[in-house]
Amino acid sequence: MAKRKKASASFWFKVNHLFRPQASNRYRSKLLHPQSLLVLSFVLLAIFSLFNAIRFFPDFADRVLGFSSNISVNSLLTEVNQERTKANLPPLVINKELNQAALAKAQDMFNDQYWAHVAPDGKQAWDFIKEAKYVYKYAGENLARDFNNSDEVVAAWMASPTHRENIMNKDFAQMGLAVVDGNLKGFNTTLVVQLFAVPLSVTMKNTGGEEFRLPKAAEPNYQANDLVAGERTTNANELVFSPLNLTRTFFLLVVLMIILTLVYDSLVASNKKYERLVGQNFAHVALFVTVAFLLVLFKGGAVLP
């Protein structure tokens, strides 16, 4: 019993030494000493390197990190149509053949290990659309990768002039979407393929601005709660996150711990009236708050021009 109490006392002494200014740490939290911050920096760098190294071992990464994303075809459709509604444009509808073409394009990028509008063999989105037996007048393609949420994908597309042009095109009425997880050049990722097209059977808008209607034969049979081509299934109780967000969250927690330590150190020093030959903690707090703010705002992912 005495040994357990001694161990407990030793533990709390170390915690106090780390966070509370006192004689044992020269009246400044040990965590805030330059040596401690240097060690913490090396630890963070090592953990960051470890997370990146794990991604080169897909099977292990899937088992340990449970890589996935929160992107879905239905949520992408909703987000895209919300943007079109803001511009007083009619909503896009999902087309079965375009979905199949989008899925084929995503799988082809994983199979041939490329990230481009044009495959190494010269194949383009239009070839996948034709293979899906969709006859079109003209079409468009948007690609995205490494995002975690549907709203981040659509926000990135809307921030890019060429992608925005496709989404806001008044002539496009049908769309195909695919969301596929896989390993691309050694990294687990989620690829998103968005295809647009105007069916050959559709009369385009004339110069007078008259609206066209899709003929009955061209209207897609799609319900919002249906599982469509290119949509992956996930367990509702499964913990879903990406290595990028896991790393960002870990770094954010460390930064918040330093900020709280700085604030606590200042309060204790002020209350005890310690005289110290060090700079003001306010500047350090401002710096780390800025770092935390940038970590929160940082969005991973890329769209292809």
Side-chain angles (χ1 to χ4, degrees), residues 88-99:
N88 296 318
L89 293 173
L92 295 170
V93 292
I94 291 291
N95 175 272
K96 181 176 63 176
E97 287 76 21
L98 288 178
N99 264 356

Side-chain angles (χ1 to χ4, degrees), residues 115-164:
W115 165 243
H117 289 295
V118 182
D121 60 3
K123 198 171 184 178
Q124 300 186 54
W126 336 126
D127 299 306
F128 293 102
I129 294 175
K130 291 175 182 176
E131 288 178 358
K133 310 301 182 185
Y134 186 101
V135 183
Y136 67 94
K137 283 193 172 182
Y138 73 96
E141 179 186 50
N142 285 348
L143 299 178
R145 60 174 291 184
D146 299 334
F147 288 95
N148 190 55
N149 297 300
S150 297
D151 57 344
E152 294 176 359
V153 175
V154 176
W157 280 337
M158 292 299 292
S160 167
T162 54
H163 297 81
R164 180 187 176 89

Side-chain angles (χ1 to χ4, degrees), residues 2-16:
K3 188 176 181 179
R4 184 180 301 175
K5 286 183 178 180
K6 185 177 180 180
S8 177
S10 175
F11 170 77
W12 287 113
F13 173 79
K14 290 178 181 179
V15 170
N16 274 315

